[in-house]
Amino acid sequence: MIDYPRRDKDGWYRWVPSWKLVSGLCIAFFGTMVAAAGLAYAMVKVPVVSETATAQNNVYYWADGSQMVATGGERNRQSVNLAQIPKDMRNAVISQENKTFYSDSGIDPKGIARAVLNMAKGGDTQGGSTITQQYVKNAMLNDQSQTISRKVKEIFVSIKVGAEVKKDKILEGYLNSAYYGRGAYGIQAASRAYFNVDAVDLNAGQCAFLSAMLKGATYYDPAGATSIDAAATPKANSERARRQMQDTLDKMVDYGHLSQEERAKYTDLPKWENPRSNTQLGGQIGYLVDLAKASVIKTGKVTQKQLEQGGYSIYTTFEKKKVDELEAAVNKVYKKNIDPEKRPKTDTHVQFGGASVDPETGAIKAIYGGQDATKHFTNNADVTGAQVGSTFKPFVLAAAMKWGVRDPKGAEVQPLEERTIVSPKSLYSGQNNLKINNYDGSVWQNEKGEQWRQENDGKESVGEAPDYKIDLRVAMRESVNSAFVQLGMDVGLDKVKEAAIDAGLLEGSLAGSGYPSFSIGVSDPSAIRMAGTYATFAESGKQRDPYSVTKVTNKDGTVYTHTVKTKQAFTAKVADNVTDVLKTVVEEGTGTNAQLPGREVAGKTGTTDGNKSAWFVGYTPQLSTAISMFRYPDDETIKNRTFLEMYGTGGEEEIHGASFPSHIWRDYMEDALKDTKPEKFPKPEPIGEVINDAPPPSPTPSPSKTEKEEEETSPSPTPSPSHSAITPSPSASDTCDVFDWNCEGGQENGGHENAGNEIGGPEGSPSPSISPSGSGEEDDSRGNQNGGGFIAGPNG
């Protein structure tokens, strides 16, 4: 029946098929394809959304295996008739996603080809689908695999739905099954989740807003989702949602669905609701769930949509006892000191954040995200934008001990063998208003030719005139800005940045390293990451990323198991020496309020310029904890929100890391470690060489006209006893501790942390930054990066 090779031909002609054979094969092939397509079309059925588009709870467990909360299915989809869905909502979706919806066949061949090509390349299959295809996809929740066979099945189902189901019914089904974020499936649930109104009452602006959520609430929900992606900040999401909403409204006008007069009413985002309404997520639970949920999604084993559909058991690292103790420590300080009614100008919008990490594993044991997750939904333990100030200085010291300072006579980029490893005994100038040099001795200047002068806390010089030499241990103990800014320049700010990243900070949280202020904490990492990086020092240089989920399971078994990964960020010699220096801060420096009787503690205070944030980060061998404090308005409707100053907050002249943050840290750690045996830090091996043992006098600023006049009429000043020399701090048995606010003896200013300080005050009272022109305008510490001149920068 098939004459091939052809018997009546010779040579190569035998292998050329006849036109009959070609025609027959083509007919057979296309006939088979048509038959297969017909069979496939007959076998698929129109899906019933109500039978498949449901959500189950996810169950979250504490570290001890007890149940924390079951959540996820409490806001399930609720179907409404098309008549209850505003025409504006229907038109918004059609205008933005599928303007030919009422005339097309239900599929987009170009979009399908693009999706298949993307899938073949290993990319996303989304994009280019019609509303009909998206409706089918939403209805096929029992099969969400990204495979060609599933895509082919989806195409046939879409064709059948397009042929057999009325367009209005398809649109109704799509709007009732689509996921809008916040656990809301369907337009009615979304209306309640974002605006607390029924779908029928939505206006055109709200409809355009909700259509934007269909693109992916992670990046469009104005509440933000930084726990999932640092780029999904409330500000960035709000801007994306606003642009998308305005684009949708414009298209509705272009396609004749909305009048220009009505469109003009909606120029900004509509007022939206707090994303948490489930009372089970009150207190700290909501923050814990958000953190764990984000961790699961980041594993790549479970998508956000799959997690929202539920059915997972999520085992966390959180210890209920420690979470309760951290919350109690914050509440104790807040209730005792913060009074918005009594001091509305200084005590409103006060917020705290905290995180506690196990150095041995990186497990997050506790966090404090805010007063209540159902009322304040930004997790303060995560990224907040609060700069860390002088808690960044240990990374400068670690960099100096790891890579060393550069040879002043060498090239800008020098191999390690040409550098000099730094000892904690190295000497640097503690002079206030210090002119900062490049490593080669030339004066640092910005792109405008402006010099950098570094202020210390309270404009105090620390050390003995004329050069005010102090060693790095004293510089850390008293949080002397000038010494660490110059040290950072000598090491290289690129190496300081590298040390911070090696310790565990995320590069995206670090400010630009092109300005000297980088060394004194203009960056804004999270409390979780700060606790994790200090844990690296506690573990003798072993770095482990903080994590919150140990295991995820579902009905089919284990989906994910966490594996602790360790890398040696610093040698034990480097890390243990950093710890030894940070012990001094707590024993006799700015961090004495964090002392734990019978335990060794290392830590660092931090306060930023403008008194806009304060930190204490400290650790014992068993636990590392970071506490932050700042003022930031909770009201998302306030445009251009910014961090507020804390002068006068809590009745204090200024807020420092040595005040409320260190008190919270101490109260929490006392309880958290109550049942553990005290451990000692490793004894550090000697490291490095003493730099600047006999340096030339540190450069001093040129005196102003007034200063010259004073010098001409007055003898050379003699340094005051309180700042002329570095002397051992007296023990608690000799006199009142300078940081003991309850001490009755010898302190002025009501026991404020600056009172009675023997050497230049503690971590730093912020003072205005003075511009190169001498205008005296105040600026925050991040702004200081953009110019030279007389710079205060973050303090203490």
Side-chain angles (χ1 to χ4, degrees):
M1 295 184 62
I2 299 177
D3 183 22
Y4 192 83
R6 298 167 68 180
R7 286 174 293 178
D8 58 344
K9 300 293 182 181
D10 296 322
W12 62 272
Y13 289 103
R14 293 193 63 198
W15 303 99
V16 178
S18 66
W19 67 269
K20 294 181 180 179
L21 180 59
V22 171
S23 300
L25 289 174
C26 288
I27 293 172
F29 174 76
F30 286 111
T32 302
M33 292 294 291
V34 170
L39 182 62
Y41 183 88
M43 292 181 66
V44 298
K45 63 179 181 178
V46 175
V48 180
V49 175
S50 60
E51 294 178 356
T52 55
T54 59
Q56 304 176 56
N57 277 329
N58 294 311
V59 182
Y60 294 81
Y61 296 91
W62 295 104
D64 63 3
S66 60
Q67 183 172 317
M68 179 196 303
V69 66
T71 182
E74 67 277 353
R75 192 184 292 138
N76 203 350
R77 180 184 51 79
Q78 181 181 351
S79 295
V80 290
N81 295 325
L82 190 66
Q84 295 173 285
I85 301 175
K87 286 186 177 180
D88 285 330
M89 186 66 208
R90 303 178 227 168
N91 291 330
V93 173
I94 291 172
S95 298
Q96 188 59 253
E97 298 188 27
N98 187 188
K99 66 179 181 180
T100 61
F101 169 69
Y102 277 103
S103 60
D104 63 35
S105 62
I107 62 170
D108 176 10
K110 291 183 179 179
I112 293 171
R114 186 163 55 249
V116 171
L117 181 61
N118 288 342
M119 187 161 47
K121 294 179 179 179
D124 190 1
T125 62
Q126 300 298 316
S129 296
T130 64
I131 288 176
T132 302
Q133 287 177 267
Q134 293 179 60
Y135 161 68
V136 169
K137 182 178 177 64
N138 292 339
M140 296 170 63
L141 292 180
N142 59 331
D143 183 8
Q144 290 293 299
S145 58
Q146 299 296 315
T147 62
I148 292 179
S149 61
R150 193 207 64 80
K151 197 68 181 177
V152 170
K153 181 179 179 181
E154 180 186 309
I155 292 170
F156 280 108
V157 174
S158 298
I159 294 173
K160 193 163 192 175
V161 168
E164 298 182 6
V165 181
K166 293 182 178 180
K167 289 289 187 177
D168 281 351
K169 201 67 178 176
I170 294 173
L171 185 59
E172 175 188 300
Y174 171 60
L175 294 174
N176 275 322
S177 62
Y179 181 63
Y180 297 79
R182 299 190 180 185
Y185 286 88
I187 185 62
Q188 175 63 18
S191 300
R192 283 292 174 186
Y194 287 93
F195 305 117
N196 198 27
V197 299
D198 288 327
V200 69
D201 296 321
L202 293 171
N203 61 41
Q206 292 170 326
C207 290
F209 172 92
L210 289 178
S211 72
M213 297 306 107
L214 294 173
K215 294 182 68 64
T218 295
Y219 299 100
Y220 288 87
D221 186 343
T226 52
S227 57
I228 296 175
D229 189 332
T233 63
K235 182 178 180 180
N237 280 15
S238 296
E239 181 57 28
R240 276 188 285 263
R242 190 193 66 79
R243 287 198 305 266
Q244 183 70 13
M245 170 186 165
Q246 297 303 309
D247 182 64
T248 298
L249 289 169
D250 289 340
K251 287 179 178 177
M252 291 172 69
V253 173
D254 291 343
Y255 302 149
H257 300 312
L258 189 68
S259 69
Q260 187 64 53
E261 182 181 12
E262 182 69 12
R263 187 260 177 273
K265 296 179 181 178
Y266 310 107
T267 57
D268 207 346
L269 292 179
K271 182 174 175 56
W272 43 274
E273 296 288 317
N274 183 315
R276 295 191 187 90
S277 60
N278 181 1
T279 56
Q280 293 185 88
L281 301 179
Q284 299 304 304
I285 300 298
Y287 304 123
L288 299 172
V289 167
D290 281 356
L291 196 60
K293 183 189 297 185
S295 179
V296 172
I297 294 171
K298 287 176 182 178
T299 65
K301 301 296 183 181
V302 182
T303 66
Q304 183 176 4
K305 190 167 185 178
Q306 288 171 331
L307 195 62
E308 292 290 353
Q309 292 161 14
Y312 294 91
S313 294
I314 300 165
Y315 297 85
T316 76
T317 60
F318 308 129
E319 294 185 11
K320 187 178 188 306
K321 180 173 177 289
K322 286 185 172 63
V323 171
D324 292 342
E325 289 166 344
L326 182 53
E327 184 176 31
V330 173
N331 289 341
K332 177 182 176 182
V333 165
Y334 192 96
K335 291 176 181 178
K336 182 179 179 181
N337 301 283
I338 309 301
D339 193 339
E341 293 185 4
K342 182 179 179 180
R343 294 180 291 270
K345 292 185 178 180
T346 61
D347 284 22
T348 53
H349 310 304
V350 174
Q351 298 185 36
F352 294 94
S356 198
V357 171
D358 179 1
E360 190 174 353
T361 63
I364 303 171
K365 295 299 183 180
I367 63 169
Y368 179 84
Q371 290 185 324
D372 190 321
T374 62
K375 299 174 183 177
H376 168 77
F377 49 86
T378 298
N379 186 350
N380 291 346
D382 209 342
V383 179
T384 62
Q387 296 177 0
V388 296
S390 289
T391 59
F392 198 82
K393 288 174 182 173
F395 306 127
V396 184
L397 182 60
M401 292 179 177
K402 181 175 182 177
W403 287 287
V405 296
R406 294 173 285 187
D407 180 358
K409 298 180 181 179
E412 183 172 354
V413 179
Q414 297 169 2
L416 186 61
E417 59 270 16
E418 295 181 11
R419 292 170 169 254
T420 304
I421 301 300
V422 173
S423 162
K425 298 179 182 179
S426 296
L427 302 177
Y428 273 81
S429 176
Q431 183 179 5
N432 178 58
N433 191 22
L434 180 68
K435 186 181 293 184
I436 299 302
N437 294 331
N438 294 305
Y439 74 97
D440 62 2
S442 61
V443 178
W444 187 92
Q445 295 180 335
N446 67 6
E447 60 276 5
K448 297 180 181 179
E450 298 163 337
Q451 297 180 358
W452 190 284
R453 295 179 184 274
Q454 183 59 53
E455 274 191 2
N456 288 333
D457 164 34
K459 302 182 181 180
E460 299 278 3
S461 292
V462 182
E464 189 170 339
D467 52 17
Y468 298 97
K469 289 188 298 183
I470 55 174
D471 68 33
L472 292 177
R473 184 181 298 274
V474 171
M476 186 74 77
R477 186 182 84 192
E478 305 306 325
S479 204
V480 182
N481 287 340
S482 56
F484 277 96
V485 169
Q486 187 58 63
L487 177 62
M489 297 300 291
D490 291 351
V491 174
L493 297 181
D494 59 329
K495 292 301 183 185
V496 174
K497 179 178 180 179
E498 189 173 340
I501 294 172
D502 286 347
L505 294 188
L506 299 177
E507 186 171 4
S509 70
L510 299 179
S513 58
Y515 290 84
S517 63
F518 180 73
S519 293
I520 48 176
V522 294
S523 299
D524 53 12
S526 68
I528 292 172
R529 283 286 166 174
M530 287 302 291
T533 53
Y534 275 48
T536 300
F537 297 129
E539 272 290 287
S540 295
K542 295 182 178 67
Q543 190 272 329
R544 302 174 181 98
D545 281 339
Y547 70 99
S548 59
V549 174
T550 59
K551 183 174 66 172
V552 180
T553 64
N554 63 8
K555 61 182 178 61
D556 297 321
T558 300
V559 176
Y560 166 77
T561 301
H562 178 77
T563 302
V564 175
K565 297 180 180 178
T566 303
K567 69 176 183 181
Q568 194 73 39
F570 309 106
T571 64
K573 182 185 290 188
V574 169
D576 292 345
N577 271 279
V578 172
T579 293
D580 193 58
V581 171
L582 293 181
K583 281 175 59 181
T584 310
V585 175
V586 177
E587 291 169 354
E588 51 183 311
T590 61
T592 55
N593 281 335
Q595 292 176 357
L596 299 175
R599 292 184 184 274
E600 290 192 348
V601 176
K604 185 71 187 76
T605 53
T607 309
T608 56
D609 189 32
N611 209 210
K612 293 179 180 178
S613 61
W615 290 72
F616 185 79
V617 187
Y619 54 96
T620 67
Q622 298 111 310
L623 199 61
S624 177
T625 300
I627 303 294
S628 65
M629 178 181 177
F630 51 92
R631 290 181 64 214
Y632 190 75
D634 243 353
D635 189 352
E636 293 79 13
T637 63
I638 299 176
K639 291 185 177 181
N640 302 319
R641 286 184 295 165
T642 185
F643 287 88
L644 306 175
E645 294 178 344
M646 294 190 291
Y647 298 116
T649 298
E652 295 297 316
E653 185 179 342
E654 302 167 19
I655 297 298
H656 297 283
S659 56
F660 299 142
S662 66
H663 280 279
I664 292 170
W665 188 94
R666 181 195 62 208
D667 290 347
Y668 162 69
M669 292 290 279
E670 280 182 345
D671 291 334
L673 297 171
K674 187 180 298 181
D675 299 325
T676 65
K677 182 181 178 181
E679 295 182 10
K680 292 184 179 297
F681 292 115
K683 185 176 180 180
E685 298 179 27
I687 190 171
E689 299 179 24
V690 178
I691 306 299
N692 302 326
D693 192 16
S698 300
T700 56
S702 301
S704 64
K705 180 178 180 181
T706 302
E707 290 171 336
K708 287 180 179 178
E709 292 172 353
E710 291 177 351
E711 289 174 357
E712 291 171 358
T713 58
S714 305
S716 299
T718 302
S720 63
S722 62
H723 300 102
S724 62
I726 302 303
T727 58
S729 300
S731 66
S733 61
D734 295 330
T735 183
C736 294
D737 188 88
V738 295
F739 302 103
D740 186 355
W741 295 3
N742 298 316
C743 180
E744 298 293 330
Q747 291 194 25
E748 300 177 0
N749 302 324
H752 185 271
E753 93 180 76
N754 280 336
N757 182 26
E758 189 172 357
I759 309 163
E763 44 164 350
S765 59
S767 54
S769 301
I770 308 302
S771 68
S773 62
S775 64
E777 295 179 353
E778 188 172 349
D779 191 9
D780 63 28
S781 54
R782 190 178 291 281
N784 289 338
Q785 298 177 72
N786 298 322
F790 190 65
I791 302 298
N795 302 286

